[in-house]
Amino acid sequence: MHLAFVWHFHQPIYRDPDTREYLLPWVNYHAVKNYHQMARLAEESDFPGTYNFVPCLLEQVLEYAAGTAADPTLAALGKDPGKLTYSEIRLLGKIVPGETNGRRLQDLAVKAMFSTLLTPERDREGLLDLRREILADLLPAYLRLRAKGLAELTTSPYYHPLLPLVFDVRSADGHALPVRPFRHPEDGKGQLAKGRAYFEKTFGFKPAGLWPSEGGVSREVAAAAAASGFRFALTDENVLWKSRPRPHAPADLFKPYLADSLTVFFRDRELSDLLSFEYQKWPTEAAVEDFAARLEARRKTGDERSILVIVLDGENPWEHYPGNGVPFLRALFSRVKALPGFSLTSLEGYLEREPARTGIDLVPGTWLGDFSKWVGHPAKNAAWDHLAAAREACGPSEEMSVAEGSDWFWWYGEEGKDEFDYLFKAYVRKACRDAGVEEPE
Protein backbone atom coordinates (compact mmCIF):
# COMPACT_ATOMS: atom_id res chain seq x y z
CA MET A 1 0.00 0.00 0.00
CA HIS A 2 1.19 3.53 -0.81
CA LEU A 3 1.13 6.04 2.04
CA ALA A 4 1.20 9.86 1.84
CA PHE A 5 1.46 12.34 4.70
CA VAL A 6 0.30 15.89 3.91
CA TRP A 7 1.22 18.70 6.32
CA HIS A 8 -0.79 21.92 5.90
CA PHE A 9 0.91 25.22 6.79
CA HIS A 10 -1.47 28.15 7.13
CA GLN A 11 -1.85 31.52 8.82
CA PRO A 12 -4.23 34.30 7.73
CA ILE A 13 -3.17 37.89 7.13
CA TYR A 14 -2.42 39.44 10.51
CA ARG A 15 -1.44 42.91 9.23
CA ASP A 16 -3.61 45.92 9.89
CA PRO A 17 -4.57 47.19 6.41
CA ASP A 18 -3.90 50.81 7.37
CA THR A 19 -0.89 50.75 9.73
CA ARG A 20 0.61 47.55 8.19
CA GLU A 21 1.46 46.42 11.73
CA TYR A 22 1.04 42.77 12.71
CA LEU A 23 -1.64 42.44 15.36
CA LEU A 24 -0.75 38.82 16.23
CA PRO A 25 2.65 37.06 16.33
CA TRP A 26 1.71 33.67 14.91
CA VAL A 27 3.45 33.79 11.51
CA ASN A 28 6.76 34.59 13.18
CA TYR A 29 6.13 32.10 15.97
CA HIS A 30 5.09 29.12 13.85
CA ALA A 31 7.69 29.72 11.15
CA VAL A 32 10.55 29.71 13.64
CA LYS A 33 9.19 26.94 15.85
CA ASN A 34 7.05 24.55 13.83
CA TYR A 35 7.69 24.95 10.09
CA HIS A 36 11.42 24.78 10.78
CA GLN A 37 10.91 21.79 13.07
CA MET A 38 9.01 19.84 10.42
CA ALA A 39 11.76 20.40 7.85
CA ARG A 40 14.47 19.37 10.32
CA LEU A 41 12.62 16.19 11.33
CA ALA A 42 11.98 15.21 7.70
CA GLU A 43 15.68 15.52 6.89
CA GLU A 44 16.84 13.87 10.10
CA SER A 45 14.42 10.94 9.67
CA ASP A 46 14.70 10.72 5.87
CA PHE A 47 10.90 10.80 5.90
CA PRO A 48 9.15 12.06 2.74
CA GLY A 49 6.02 14.16 2.96
CA THR A 50 3.85 16.70 1.19
CA TYR A 51 3.90 20.26 2.55
CA ASN A 52 1.12 22.69 1.67
CA PHE A 53 2.04 26.38 1.87
CA VAL A 54 -0.80 28.91 1.76
CA PRO A 55 0.38 31.87 -0.36
CA CYS A 56 -0.57 34.58 2.15
CA LEU A 57 1.55 32.70 4.69
CA LEU A 58 4.47 32.67 2.25
CA GLU A 59 4.05 36.42 1.74
CA GLN A 60 4.24 37.07 5.47
CA VAL A 61 7.15 34.66 6.06
CA LEU A 62 9.14 36.46 3.37
CA GLU A 63 8.37 39.81 4.99
CA TYR A 64 9.71 38.58 8.32
CA ALA A 65 12.73 37.01 6.62
CA ALA A 66 13.51 40.32 4.92
CA GLY A 67 13.29 42.15 8.24
CA THR A 68 10.53 44.44 6.96
CA ALA A 69 7.63 43.13 9.07
CA ALA A 70 6.28 45.84 11.38
CA ASP A 71 5.56 43.61 14.35
CA PRO A 72 5.14 45.20 17.80
CA THR A 73 5.47 41.77 19.46
CA LEU A 74 8.82 41.19 17.79
CA ALA A 75 9.93 44.70 18.76
CA ALA A 76 8.93 43.96 22.37
CA LEU A 77 11.08 40.80 22.36
CA GLY A 78 14.18 42.91 21.64
CA LYS A 79 13.38 45.87 23.87
CA ASP A 80 15.00 46.82 27.17
CA PRO A 81 12.77 44.80 29.54
CA GLY A 82 12.65 47.68 32.02
CA LYS A 83 10.97 49.85 29.38
CA LEU A 84 8.22 47.47 28.29
CA THR A 85 4.82 49.14 28.17
CA TYR A 86 1.56 47.61 29.37
CA SER A 87 0.46 46.96 25.79
CA GLU A 88 3.78 45.22 25.05
CA ILE A 89 3.38 43.06 28.16
CA ARG A 90 -0.05 42.05 26.84
CA LEU A 91 1.39 41.21 23.42
CA LEU A 92 4.12 39.00 24.88
CA GLY A 93 1.48 37.42 27.11
CA LYS A 94 -0.09 35.89 24.01
CA ILE A 95 3.03 33.74 23.70
CA VAL A 96 3.46 33.11 27.44
CA PRO A 97 0.08 33.59 29.17
CA GLY A 98 -0.05 34.45 32.85
CA GLU A 99 3.40 36.00 33.30
CA THR A 100 3.61 39.74 34.01
CA ASN A 101 7.21 40.30 35.09
CA GLY A 102 8.73 42.06 32.09
CA ARG A 103 12.20 40.56 32.13
CA ARG A 104 11.03 37.04 32.84
CA LEU A 105 8.17 37.30 30.35
CA GLN A 106 10.54 38.49 27.64
CA ASP A 107 13.02 35.67 28.26
CA LEU A 108 10.28 33.04 28.34
CA ALA A 109 8.63 34.38 25.19
CA VAL A 110 11.90 34.33 23.21
CA LYS A 111 12.66 30.77 24.31
CA ALA A 112 9.09 29.65 23.60
CA MET A 113 9.60 30.47 19.92
CA PHE A 114 12.06 27.61 19.40
CA SER A 115 11.47 23.92 18.91
CA THR A 116 12.91 21.51 21.44
CA LEU A 117 15.05 20.29 18.53
CA LEU A 118 17.17 23.35 19.27
CA THR A 119 18.85 23.87 22.64
CA PRO A 120 21.23 26.69 21.76
CA GLU A 121 23.33 28.23 24.51
CA ARG A 122 22.51 31.79 23.53
CA ASP A 123 21.28 34.84 25.38
CA ARG A 124 18.18 36.73 24.31
CA GLU A 125 20.01 38.71 21.64
CA GLY A 126 21.62 35.52 20.35
CA LEU A 127 18.26 33.79 20.15
CA LEU A 128 16.80 36.70 18.20
CA ASP A 129 19.74 36.38 15.79
CA LEU A 130 18.96 32.65 15.46
CA ARG A 131 15.34 33.54 14.69
CA ARG A 132 16.53 35.61 11.73
CA GLU A 133 18.80 32.80 10.54
CA ILE A 134 15.96 30.27 10.64
CA LEU A 135 13.57 32.55 8.76
CA ALA A 136 16.11 33.37 6.07
CA ASP A 137 16.70 29.67 5.42
CA LEU A 138 13.17 28.36 5.91
CA LEU A 139 11.88 28.25 2.34
CA PRO A 140 15.29 27.28 0.88
CA ALA A 141 15.27 24.36 3.35
CA TYR A 142 12.05 23.01 1.84
CA LEU A 143 13.48 23.37 -1.65
CA ARG A 144 16.51 21.34 -0.54
CA LEU A 145 14.17 18.67 0.83
CA ARG A 146 12.36 18.65 -2.50
CA ALA A 147 15.65 18.17 -4.34
CA LYS A 148 16.34 15.15 -2.11
CA GLY A 149 12.91 13.65 -2.80
CA LEU A 150 11.73 14.32 0.76
CA ALA A 151 9.25 17.13 0.10
CA GLU A 152 6.42 17.60 -2.35
CA LEU A 153 5.21 21.21 -2.22
CA THR A 154 1.58 22.19 -2.85
CA THR A 155 -0.49 25.31 -2.29
CA SER A 156 -3.95 26.83 -1.66
CA PRO A 157 -6.02 29.79 -2.89
CA TYR A 158 -4.17 32.99 -1.99
CA TYR A 159 -6.00 34.30 1.09
CA HIS A 160 -7.44 30.94 2.14
CA PRO A 161 -11.09 31.51 1.13
CA LEU A 162 -13.56 28.69 1.64
CA LEU A 163 -14.18 28.33 -2.07
CA PRO A 164 -17.59 26.59 -2.17
CA LEU A 165 -19.06 29.43 -0.09
CA VAL A 166 -17.29 32.15 -2.08
CA PHE A 167 -18.55 30.55 -5.30
CA ASP A 168 -22.06 30.38 -3.78
CA VAL A 169 -22.87 30.53 -0.07
CA ARG A 170 -25.92 28.38 -0.84
CA SER A 171 -23.47 25.47 -1.16
CA ALA A 172 -23.97 25.18 2.61
CA ASP A 173 -27.36 23.60 2.01
CA GLY A 174 -28.83 22.26 5.25
CA HIS A 175 -27.46 25.11 7.38
CA ALA A 176 -29.23 28.31 8.36
CA LEU A 177 -28.06 30.60 5.57
CA PRO A 178 -27.26 34.33 5.65
CA VAL A 179 -29.99 36.69 4.50
CA ARG A 180 -27.96 38.15 1.63
CA PRO A 181 -26.79 35.90 -1.20
CA PHE A 182 -23.06 35.72 -1.77
CA ARG A 183 -22.08 34.33 -5.15
CA HIS A 184 -18.73 35.41 -6.59
CA PRO A 185 -17.03 32.52 -8.40
CA GLU A 186 -14.87 35.11 -10.16
CA ASP A 187 -13.30 35.97 -6.78
CA GLY A 188 -12.54 32.32 -6.05
CA LYS A 189 -11.02 31.80 -9.49
CA GLY A 190 -8.92 34.92 -8.99
CA GLN A 191 -7.58 33.61 -5.68
CA LEU A 192 -6.70 30.28 -7.28
CA ALA A 193 -4.80 32.00 -10.08
CA LYS A 194 -3.08 34.48 -7.76
CA GLY A 195 -2.08 31.74 -5.33
CA ARG A 196 -0.65 29.58 -8.08
CA ALA A 197 1.32 32.50 -9.53
CA TYR A 198 2.73 33.55 -6.16
CA PHE A 199 3.77 29.99 -5.36
CA GLU A 200 5.64 29.81 -8.67
CA LYS A 201 7.30 33.17 -8.04
CA THR A 202 8.41 32.01 -4.58
CA PHE A 203 9.58 28.47 -5.31
CA GLY A 204 10.41 28.63 -9.02
CA PHE A 205 8.00 25.98 -10.32
CA LYS A 206 4.27 25.52 -10.87
CA PRO A 207 2.46 23.52 -8.18
CA ALA A 208 0.63 20.39 -9.29
CA GLY A 209 -1.34 19.99 -6.08
CA LEU A 210 -3.97 22.01 -4.24
CA TRP A 211 -5.27 21.85 -0.71
CA PRO A 212 -8.44 23.90 -1.22
CA SER A 213 -8.88 26.02 1.91
CA GLU A 214 -10.49 23.93 4.69
CA GLY A 215 -10.62 21.06 2.19
CA GLY A 216 -13.59 22.87 0.68
CA VAL A 217 -14.71 21.36 -2.63
CA SER A 218 -17.67 21.23 -4.99
CA ARG A 219 -18.13 20.49 -8.68
CA GLU A 220 -17.62 24.17 -9.51
CA VAL A 221 -14.50 24.41 -7.38
CA ALA A 222 -12.99 21.30 -8.96
CA ALA A 223 -13.60 22.66 -12.47
CA ALA A 224 -12.03 26.00 -11.53
CA ALA A 225 -9.00 24.34 -9.95
CA ALA A 226 -8.40 22.25 -13.05
CA ALA A 227 -8.83 25.31 -15.28
CA SER A 228 -6.22 27.11 -13.16
CA GLY A 229 -3.70 24.38 -13.94
CA PHE A 230 -3.84 22.18 -10.84
CA ARG A 231 -3.56 18.46 -11.49
CA PHE A 232 -4.88 17.20 -8.16
CA ALA A 233 -6.59 18.36 -4.98
CA LEU A 234 -7.35 16.88 -1.57
CA THR A 235 -10.37 16.85 0.72
CA ASP A 236 -11.97 14.73 3.44
CA GLU A 237 -13.36 11.22 3.16
CA ASN A 238 -16.76 12.49 4.30
CA VAL A 239 -17.10 14.20 0.92
CA LEU A 240 -16.34 10.89 -0.77
CA TRP A 241 -19.04 9.00 1.13
CA LYS A 242 -21.62 11.70 0.37
CA SER A 243 -20.62 11.75 -3.30
CA ARG A 244 -20.53 7.99 -3.94
CA PRO A 245 -23.56 5.74 -4.31
CA ARG A 246 -24.03 3.12 -1.64
CA PRO A 247 -23.00 0.54 -0.64
CA HIS A 248 -19.63 1.90 0.47
CA ALA A 249 -16.59 -0.32 0.84
CA PRO A 250 -13.59 0.72 3.00
CA ALA A 251 -11.26 0.22 0.03
CA ASP A 252 -13.15 2.95 -1.87
CA LEU A 253 -11.09 5.41 0.17
CA PHE A 254 -7.78 4.03 -1.07
CA LYS A 255 -7.77 5.52 -4.56
CA PRO A 256 -8.09 8.91 -6.26
CA TYR A 257 -11.10 9.95 -8.31
CA LEU A 258 -11.68 12.19 -11.32
CA ALA A 259 -13.92 15.22 -10.83
CA ASP A 260 -14.09 16.37 -14.43
CA SER A 261 -10.37 16.77 -15.24
CA LEU A 262 -9.17 17.26 -11.64
CA THR A 263 -7.91 14.28 -9.66
CA VAL A 264 -9.16 14.28 -6.06
CA PHE A 265 -7.64 12.40 -3.12
CA PHE A 266 -9.67 11.85 0.04
CA ARG A 267 -7.95 11.87 3.41
CA ASP A 268 -8.41 9.19 6.04
CA ARG A 269 -10.29 11.19 8.65
CA GLU A 270 -9.75 8.86 11.59
CA LEU A 271 -5.98 8.62 11.22
CA SER A 272 -5.62 12.34 10.48
CA ASP A 273 -7.69 13.35 13.48
CA LEU A 274 -5.95 10.92 15.82
CA LEU A 275 -2.68 12.70 15.03
CA SER A 276 -4.30 16.14 15.29
CA PHE A 277 -6.40 15.81 18.41
CA GLU A 278 -6.04 12.51 20.27
CA TYR A 279 -2.54 11.03 20.48
CA GLN A 280 -1.28 14.06 22.41
CA LYS A 281 -3.12 12.52 25.40
CA TRP A 282 -1.39 9.14 25.06
CA PRO A 283 2.06 7.86 26.02
CA THR A 284 4.21 8.13 22.89
CA GLU A 285 4.93 4.42 22.49
CA ALA A 286 1.26 3.44 22.93
CA ALA A 287 0.13 6.08 20.43
CA VAL A 288 2.67 5.03 17.80
CA GLU A 289 1.82 1.35 18.17
CA ASP A 290 -1.90 2.09 17.93
CA PHE A 291 -1.30 4.08 14.75
CA ALA A 292 0.82 1.28 13.27
CA ALA A 293 -1.89 -1.28 14.04
CA ARG A 294 -4.52 0.85 12.32
CA LEU A 295 -2.28 1.23 9.28
CA GLU A 296 -1.81 -2.52 9.09
CA ALA A 297 -5.56 -3.11 9.29
CA ARG A 298 -6.06 -0.77 6.35
CA ARG A 299 -3.30 -2.43 4.32
CA LYS A 300 -5.11 -5.75 4.60
CA THR A 301 -8.22 -4.10 3.13
CA GLY A 302 -6.38 -2.61 0.15
CA ASP A 303 -3.78 -3.88 -2.28
CA GLU A 304 -0.42 -2.87 -3.76
CA ARG A 305 -2.08 -0.18 -5.92
CA SER A 306 -3.95 1.41 -3.01
CA ILE A 307 -3.01 4.75 -1.47
CA LEU A 308 -3.79 5.95 2.03
CA VAL A 309 -3.68 9.74 2.47
CA ILE A 310 -3.29 11.50 5.82
CA VAL A 311 -3.79 15.28 5.95
CA LEU A 312 -3.49 17.56 8.99
CA ASP A 313 -2.09 20.84 10.23
CA GLY A 314 1.68 20.82 10.42
CA GLU A 315 1.78 23.47 13.14
CA ASN A 316 -1.08 23.49 15.64
CA PRO A 317 -1.07 19.97 17.14
CA TRP A 318 2.49 19.96 18.44
CA GLU A 319 2.07 22.46 21.27
CA HIS A 320 -0.22 19.90 22.93
CA TYR A 321 2.35 17.09 22.72
CA PRO A 322 5.29 16.68 25.12
CA GLY A 323 8.43 18.30 23.73
CA ASN A 324 6.43 20.13 21.03
CA GLY A 325 5.78 16.76 19.39
CA VAL A 326 9.42 16.00 18.63
CA PRO A 327 9.63 12.67 20.56
CA PHE A 328 6.30 11.56 19.08
CA LEU A 329 7.15 12.50 15.49
CA ARG A 330 10.56 10.85 15.68
CA ALA A 331 8.99 7.65 16.99
CA LEU A 332 6.17 7.81 14.45
CA PHE A 333 8.46 8.35 11.47
CA SER A 334 10.76 5.53 12.54
CA ARG A 335 7.88 3.10 13.12
CA VAL A 336 6.11 3.90 9.85
CA LYS A 337 9.30 3.48 7.83
CA ALA A 338 9.83 0.05 9.39
CA LEU A 339 6.34 -1.23 8.56
CA PRO A 340 6.41 -3.93 5.87
CA GLY A 341 4.10 -3.55 2.91
CA PHE A 342 4.01 0.27 2.89
CA SER A 343 5.65 2.65 0.42
CA LEU A 344 5.87 6.33 1.34
CA THR A 345 5.04 8.45 -1.70
CA SER A 346 4.31 11.89 -3.02
CA LEU A 347 0.88 12.38 -4.54
CA GLU A 348 2.24 13.47 -7.91
CA GLY A 349 4.61 10.51 -7.95
CA TYR A 350 1.75 8.15 -7.18
CA LEU A 351 -0.35 9.54 -10.04
CA GLU A 352 2.47 8.91 -12.50
CA ARG A 353 2.09 5.19 -11.71
CA GLU A 354 -1.59 5.00 -10.86
CA PRO A 355 -3.71 7.68 -12.56
CA ALA A 356 -7.29 8.14 -11.40
CA ARG A 357 -9.73 6.02 -13.37
CA THR A 358 -13.05 6.43 -11.53
CA GLY A 359 -15.24 9.49 -11.96
CA ILE A 360 -17.02 11.25 -9.12
CA ASP A 361 -19.73 13.92 -8.88
CA LEU A 362 -18.56 15.96 -5.89
CA VAL A 363 -21.06 17.00 -3.24
CA PRO A 364 -19.97 20.26 -1.53
CA GLY A 365 -18.03 19.66 1.69
CA THR A 366 -14.98 20.44 3.83
CA TRP A 367 -12.39 18.68 5.99
CA LEU A 368 -15.06 18.65 8.72
CA GLY A 369 -17.62 17.27 6.30
CA ASP A 370 -20.14 20.12 6.45
CA PHE A 371 -19.85 23.93 6.69
CA SER A 372 -21.02 24.42 10.28
CA LYS A 373 -17.79 26.11 11.47
CA TRP A 374 -18.14 28.84 8.84
CA VAL A 375 -21.86 29.49 8.36
CA GLY A 376 -25.15 28.93 10.21
CA HIS A 377 -24.32 30.61 13.54
CA PRO A 378 -25.93 34.08 13.87
CA ALA A 379 -22.53 35.81 14.22
CA LYS A 380 -21.10 33.97 11.21
CA ASN A 381 -24.17 34.74 9.09
CA ALA A 382 -23.98 38.40 10.09
CA ALA A 383 -20.38 38.47 8.85
CA TRP A 384 -21.43 36.91 5.53
CA ASP A 385 -24.24 39.47 5.20
CA HIS A 386 -21.78 42.30 5.87
CA LEU A 387 -19.32 40.89 3.34
CA ALA A 388 -22.03 40.41 0.72
CA ALA A 389 -23.30 43.96 1.06
CA ALA A 390 -19.78 45.38 0.90
CA ARG A 391 -18.80 43.25 -2.09
CA GLU A 392 -21.83 44.48 -4.02
CA ALA A 393 -21.14 48.10 -3.07
CA CYS A 394 -17.35 48.09 -3.53
CA GLY A 395 -16.64 45.53 -6.22
CA PRO A 396 -13.56 43.28 -6.21
CA SER A 397 -10.31 44.35 -4.56
CA GLU A 398 -7.29 42.96 -2.72
CA GLU A 399 -8.81 43.96 0.61
CA MET A 400 -12.07 42.22 -0.26
CA SER A 401 -10.12 39.07 -1.08
CA VAL A 402 -8.52 39.17 2.39
CA ALA A 403 -11.97 39.56 3.95
CA GLU A 404 -13.13 36.44 2.08
CA GLY A 405 -10.64 34.31 4.07
CA SER A 406 -12.09 31.39 5.98
CA ASP A 407 -10.50 32.21 9.34
CA TRP A 408 -12.71 35.17 10.16
CA PHE A 409 -15.86 33.05 9.80
CA TRP A 410 -14.35 30.12 11.71
CA TRP A 411 -13.83 32.29 14.80
CA TYR A 412 -17.03 34.34 14.70
CA GLY A 413 -19.28 33.40 17.60
CA GLU A 414 -16.37 32.48 19.91
CA GLU A 415 -14.91 34.48 22.80
CA GLY A 416 -11.48 36.06 22.89
CA LYS A 417 -10.95 36.64 19.17
CA ASP A 418 -11.18 40.43 19.06
CA GLU A 419 -8.24 40.75 16.66
CA PHE A 420 -10.00 38.56 14.11
CA ASP A 421 -13.17 40.62 14.32
CA TYR A 422 -11.13 43.81 13.95
CA LEU A 423 -9.12 42.56 10.97
CA PHE A 424 -12.17 41.33 9.07
CA LYS A 425 -13.99 44.62 9.52
CA ALA A 426 -10.86 46.68 8.86
CA TYR A 427 -10.30 45.03 5.47
CA VAL A 428 -13.95 45.47 4.50
CA ARG A 429 -13.79 49.10 5.63
CA LYS A 430 -10.65 49.80 3.61
CA ALA A 431 -12.12 48.12 0.53
CA CYS A 432 -15.13 50.45 0.73
CA ARG A 433 -13.03 53.52 1.49
CA ASP A 434 -10.72 52.86 -1.46
CA ALA A 435 -13.76 52.37 -3.70
CA GLY A 436 -15.19 55.69 -2.52
CA VAL A 437 -18.39 54.17 -1.15
CA GLU A 438 -19.89 54.15 2.31
CA GLU A 439 -19.38 50.95 4.25
CA PRO A 440 -22.67 49.05 4.71
CA GLU A 441 -24.08 48.79 8.21
Side-chain angles (χ1 to χ4, degrees), residues 1-8 38 47-52 152 154 211 232 234-237 253-255 265-277 279 288 290-292 294-296 298-299 307-314 317-318 321 328-329 332-333 336 339 342-347 367:
M1 174 178 270
H2 299 274
L3 178 61
F5 282 83
V6 182
W7 310 102
H8 175 50
M38 296 301 288
F47 193 87
T50 298
Y51 299 87
N52 188 77
E152 175 182 41
T154 60
W211 172 251
F232 67 85
L234 303 109
T235 187
D236 186 70
E237 69 169 80
L253 181 60
F254 304 149
K255 63 181 181 180
F265 291 94
F266 297 89
R267 74 171 192 144
D268 185 302
R269 168 177 280 198
E270 181 184 51
L271 292 179
S272 302
D273 285 356
L274 283 168
L275 293 170
S276 294
F277 309 117
Y279 284 148
V288 169
D290 181 78
F291 191 81
R294 293 172 191 267
L295 284 180
E296 178 60 21
R298 284 158 171 77
R299 187 184 68 80
I307 183 168
L308 177 62
V309 180
I310 296 165
V311 187
L312 66 149
D313 275 1
W318 315 130
Y321 280 80
F328 173 80
L329 287 167
L332 177 73
F333 290 173
V336 168
L339 284 173
F342 284 94
S343 174
L344 287 161
T345 185
S346 68
L347 299 166
W367 71 269

Side-chain angles (χ1 to χ4, degrees), residues 5 20 22 56 65 74 84 89 92 97 102 104 106 130 143 176 183 206 214-215 252 262 266 313 338 342 345 405 427:
F5 282 83
R20 307 297 289 175
Y22 280 79
C56 68
L74 180 57
L84 288 170
I89 293 284
L92 295 179
R104 178 171 168 76
Q106 200 178 47
L130 178 59
L143 284 173
R183 178 171 170 77
K206 291 180 172 67
E214 313 293 3
D252 290 345
L262 182 76
F266 297 89
D313 275 1
F342 284 94
T345 185
Y427 276 95

Side-chain angles (χ1 to χ4, degrees), residues 185-421:
E186 68 277 19
D187 290 9
K189 292 173 183 178
Q191 295 223 35
L192 282 165
K194 181 178 171 67
R196 186 171 169 81
Y198 193 82
F199 181 98
E200 182 181 8
K201 176 184 174 183
T202 303
F203 287 117
F205 66 94
K206 291 180 172 67
L210 174 75
W211 172 251
S213 317
E214 313 293 3
V217 294
S218 65
R219 287 187 63 186
E220 294 79 6
V221 169
S228 293
F230 290 102
R231 184 181 179 193
F232 67 85
L234 303 109
T235 187
D236 186 70
E237 69 169 80
N238 225 327
V239 179
L240 171 65
W241 305 133
K242 289 190 294 184
S243 302
R244 291 274 290 168
R246 294 180 181 275
H248 298 149
D252 290 345
L253 181 60
F254 304 149
K255 63 181 181 180
Y257 293 79
L258 276 174
D260 295 318
S261 55
L262 182 76
T263 295
V264 182
F265 291 94
F266 297 89
R267 74 171 192 144
D268 185 302
R269 168 177 280 198
E270 181 184 51
L271 292 179
S272 302
D273 285 356
L274 283 168
L275 293 170
S276 294
F277 309 117
E278 182 60 33
Y279 284 148
Q280 60 198 246
K281 306 167 192 171
W282 294 36
T284 292
E285 184 176 349
V288 169
E289 287 307 312
D290 181 78
F291 191 81
R294 293 172 191 267
L295 284 180
E296 178 60 21
R298 284 158 171 77
R299 187 184 68 80
K300 291 177 180 177
T301 305
D303 58 33
E304 68 278 1
R305 296 170 60 181
S306 298
I307 183 168
L308 177 62
V309 180
I310 296 165
V311 187
L312 66 149
D313 275 1
E315 66 231 340
N316 293 319
W318 315 130
E319 65 178 316
H320 304 291
Y321 280 80
N324 202 51
V326 171
F328 173 80
L329 287 167
R330 280 177 168 158
L332 177 73
F333 290 173
S334 176
R335 186 73 177 90
V336 168
K337 286 182 66 178
L339 284 173
F342 284 94
S343 174
L344 287 161
T345 185
S346 68
L347 299 166
E348 191 171 16
Y350 174 83
L351 289 177
E352 290 175 359
R353 299 183 295 270
E354 299 290 344
R357 297 176 174 86
T358 306
I360 192 166
D361 186 4
L362 287 176
V363 171
T366 69
W367 71 269
L368 280 173
D370 64 16
F371 295 90
S372 58
K373 281 296 292 184
W374 301 275
V375 72
H377 184 281
K380 299 178 192 297
N381 286 355
W384 278 107
D385 284 333
H386 187 58
L387 183 68
R391 176 63 177 79
E392 293 308 313
C394 304
S397 67
E398 200 72 12
E399 288 74 22
M400 196 61 65
S401 293
V402 176
E404 289 171 350
S406 72
D407 296 82
W408 324 122
F409 303 97
W410 172 280
W411 291 114
Y412 264 116
E414 300 196 20
E415 297 292 329
K417 299 299 176 182
D418 294 346
E419 292 90 352
F420 283 77
D421 175 68

Side-chain angles (χ1 to χ4, degrees), residues 62-83:
L62 289 170
E63 193 170 14
Y64 276 101
T68 57
D71 184 349
T73 305
L74 180 57
L77 288 172
K79 190 175 180 178
D80 179 343
K83 297 181 179 179

Side-chain angles (χ1 to χ4, degrees), residues 36-51:
H36 173 254
Q37 170 177 293
M38 296 301 288
R40 284 281 299 269
L41 286 171
E43 183 170 36
E44 168 195 297
S45 304
D46 197 37
F47 193 87
T50 298
Y51 299 87

